[in-house]
Amino acid sequence: MPPHVSADHPAAQPPGRGSVDALISQTRRLRGDVDAVRRDTASDGSDPRERWQRALCDLALHQLNDLDEHLGQLREGPPATTSAPAPPSGSLLSRVGTAEWNLLTDKAGWSGELYQILGRDPATAPLSLDELPSVVLEEDRPKLTAMVTGCLVDAKPIDGEFRIVRPDGEARTVHMMGEPVLDADGSTASMWAVLRDVSELRRSQRAVSETRDSLQRHRHLAQTEHRLAVELQEAVLPPWRGSLRLPHQGPRTLDLAAHRLRSSTSALIGGDWYDALELADGETLLSVGDLTGHGVAAASGMATLLGAVRGMAMAGTQPGQLMSWLNQLLDATVQPALGSAVCCRYRPDTRTLAWAQAGHPAPLLFRDGTGRRLNAPEGVLLGATSSAEYAQAEETLEVGDLLVLHTDGLVPGHGGADSESPLLGLGPRLGEAGTAQDCVRLVVDEFGESERADGDACVLVARVMS
């Protein structure tokens, strides 16, 4: 039973100071560790996970601060029930008050701290048990009544919370712990209680709960967006898997194979594409590209660009003009973005490749086990400027030549022209590969397992057949 702070119940002696001091020291060390963790999680608040971690740290600090001051109270001994002025409002003492209601004399005694918690004038008389519900929110009054009745009638301890409204209109949450004080014949003589203002603690707990809910919603949204982005990619990219030969009829075909390498971070679904399409005039369209951004927006933008590329190519538009119109399309979109692309038209009757590029790595040509980068015609990133013009180049191919088109990031840690060196180094091994599919497997085996933190990458291989 706790000490009963009334004239009839003298205060108990405080426990050994040494053991309490040791607990205080441990609590303060732990508080310093938690505070350090909180500072490490400081951010602009945009990441729900960091908000959740910071809210948990705040709650832990509230608990440890209260524990520290509770232990200080334990070391000093219990306060007297008095109407003396309460301690400063920033201390724990101002949030913990005591009371005793004597059933034999109908008298009540409150500590000064309880007056401050309830916002009442210490010069006024304490509220009786019958009057106490008048300061409690109406929906919480049945809870208080049940606790008090159980204590007085059935000698049950009190341990519960209710909300009070102070005279200034401010609502506070109060935690009440108490138990009956029995007289010699075992009947209840009075009720003793400790009331603690836990408003700030409950506010911190709500913040933890809200940020946890926010994190769960964020995860659910991210999972949904990831699934939609993947489904959109799968729906838009070419349906063929493995090898493909274009055109389907006639000699001098291209043996084709392609692969999309996933990001090591599954959330980073990008706007990379590859495409191979037989055109109405018997030529073959080859294209690869990349739109900035990640997620559904990038995948949706990629679908728009790829659809435009296919449509303009089927209408006979040459690569240079196609890039110019593609740039105007991207410049006119509601959500501005940047993109890069390579677009090629292969003419099987002359084995010539007409191509244009927009800020993209040039195709690599491998012949007899040796590779080189094609000289790139002029062309800036798509969406960089509405007045951009795109030049066009031609390259005559030979039977057995291998053409490799890829998006930036295929070789992790290497971008743009810097990515060509590791790929060109595969020349002898690519020359020994039997099919375009074998070449793609070689590239994937070489670079597919590497950490690719910036997003997806695509590779398209075309071998000139006789």
Side-chain angles (χ1 to χ4, degrees):
M1 182 179 294
H4 303 300
V5 286
S6 71
D8 299 327
H9 297 87
Q13 293 298 316
R17 297 176 66 93
S19 59
V20 176
D21 287 340
L23 288 173
I24 291 174
S25 297
Q26 292 176 15
T27 300
R28 291 176 180 176
R29 282 197 298 271
L30 181 57
R31 184 175 58 189
D33 292 341
V34 173
D35 191 41
V37 172
R38 188 198 185 284
R39 289 196 300 271
D40 289 342
T41 61
S43 70
D44 59 3
S46 60
D47 186 344
R49 181 179 296 276
E50 290 186 351
R51 290 202 305 269
W52 179 57
Q53 291 172 340
R54 200 162 54 254
L56 283 175
C57 287
D58 286 340
L59 178 58
L61 287 172
H62 271 296
Q63 299 275 17
L64 289 169
N65 285 335
D66 285 355
L67 177 58
D68 184 20
E69 296 193 56
H70 275 310
L71 290 171
Q73 282 182 285
L74 184 61
R75 181 177 57 185
E76 299 301 327
T81 303
T82 176
S83 296
S89 59
S91 70
L92 177 68
L93 292 174
S94 67
R95 301 197 302 271
V96 179
T98 60
E100 185 167 3
W101 288 273
N102 192 310
L103 304 183
L104 302 179
T105 63
D106 286 331
K107 291 183 178 180
W110 285 6
S111 68
E113 295 78 25
L114 184 54
Y115 276 96
Q116 185 179 31
I117 290 172
L118 301 182
R120 298 183 65 82
D121 184 356
T124 61
L127 297 177
S128 67
L129 286 176
D130 290 335
E131 295 170 328
L132 187 59
S134 66
V135 300
V136 177
L137 282 178
E138 185 174 358
E139 54 265 40
D140 289 356
R141 290 174 187 171
K143 185 190 305 183
L144 173 64
T145 300
M147 288 191 298
V148 171
T149 301
C151 180
L152 299 181
V153 176
D154 300 321
K156 294 180 179 179
I158 289 176
D159 187 354
E161 291 184 8
F162 50 87
R163 291 165 295 170
I164 58 100
V165 180
R166 293 156 56 102
D168 58 6
E170 181 184 9
R172 307 292 291 180
T173 302
V174 174
H175 181 242
M176 184 175 182
M177 296 184 68
E179 52 186 46
V181 178
L182 306 180
D183 60 14
D185 63 2
S187 61
T188 302
S190 63
M191 188 184 83
W192 180 89
V194 173
L195 293 94
R196 179 185 176 205
D197 185 344
V198 294
S199 303
E200 297 301 325
L201 184 60
R202 297 297 173 255
R203 188 174 295 116
S204 295
Q205 290 173 329
R206 286 195 298 272
V208 171
S209 177
E210 290 168 0
T211 50
R212 182 186 293 113
D213 292 344
S214 175
L215 178 60
Q216 291 174 345
R217 289 192 299 270
H218 179 80
R219 285 174 176 168
H220 177 71
L221 179 61
Q223 291 169 353
T224 301
E225 289 185 348
H226 179 268
R227 186 183 70 254
L228 290 175
V230 170
E231 291 175 353
L232 186 55
Q233 273 190 340
E234 295 295 334
V236 172
L237 291 178
W240 50 272
R241 296 293 184 267
S243 60
L244 175 72
R245 292 203 172 187
L246 294 178
H248 295 292
Q249 303 294 328
R252 299 180 177 180
T253 61
L254 292 178
D255 176 27
L256 298 161
H259 188 78
R260 183 176 65 251
L261 290 85
R262 292 291 187 189
S263 165
S264 57
T265 303
S266 61
L268 297 181
I269 300 298
D272 295 61
W273 84 79
Y274 65 85
D275 197 24
L277 181 68
E278 182 177 355
L279 303 176
D281 57 6
E283 297 183 0
T284 297
L285 168 72
L286 304 176
S287 71
V288 295
D290 180 15
L291 189 67
T292 56
H294 300 98
V296 174
S300 176
M302 175 270 287
T304 300
L305 290 185
L306 183 53
V309 169
R310 290 171 174 170
M312 289 187 285
M314 289 295 289
T317 307
Q318 293 301 305
Q321 183 63 63
L322 188 150
M323 286 295 179
S324 178
W325 287 346
L326 204 62
N327 177 65
Q328 293 180 29
L329 173 65
L330 192 58
D331 184 66
T333 56
V334 176
Q335 295 181 336
L338 294 175
S340 67
V342 166
C343 182
C344 312
R345 289 181 72 106
Y346 175 70
R347 305 181 188 122
D349 55 345
T350 61
R351 294 198 186 96
T352 55
L353 186 79
W355 70 286
Q357 65 84 29
H360 198 89
L364 304 180
L365 176 62
F366 294 86
R367 180 175 294 167
D368 299 326
T370 302
R372 66 179 176 87
R373 179 178 66 89
L374 297 184
N375 293 325
E378 184 178 351
V380 299
L381 285 170
L382 299 172
T385 172
S386 59
S387 59
E389 295 184 0
Y390 296 85
Q392 182 171 304
E394 288 196 1
E395 186 78 23
T396 301
L397 304 180
E398 298 179 2
V399 174
D401 281 355
L402 191 71
L403 202 63
V404 176
L405 284 68
H406 66 90
T407 59
D408 207 7
L410 174 63
V411 182
H414 297 75
D418 189 36
S419 64
E420 296 164 4
S421 180
L423 286 168
L424 292 175
L426 297 178
R429 296 164 64 188
L430 290 172
E432 296 174 357
T435 65
Q437 184 64 41
D438 292 335
C439 295
V440 168
R441 290 195 188 101
L442 178 60
V443 173
V444 172
D445 289 344
E446 190 73 20
F447 304 114
E449 297 300 323
S450 303
E451 289 291 324
R452 187 170 286 98
D454 294 334
D456 297 346
C458 295
V459 59
L460 172 65
V461 174
R463 183 183 289 278
V464 180
M465 308 297 292
S466 60

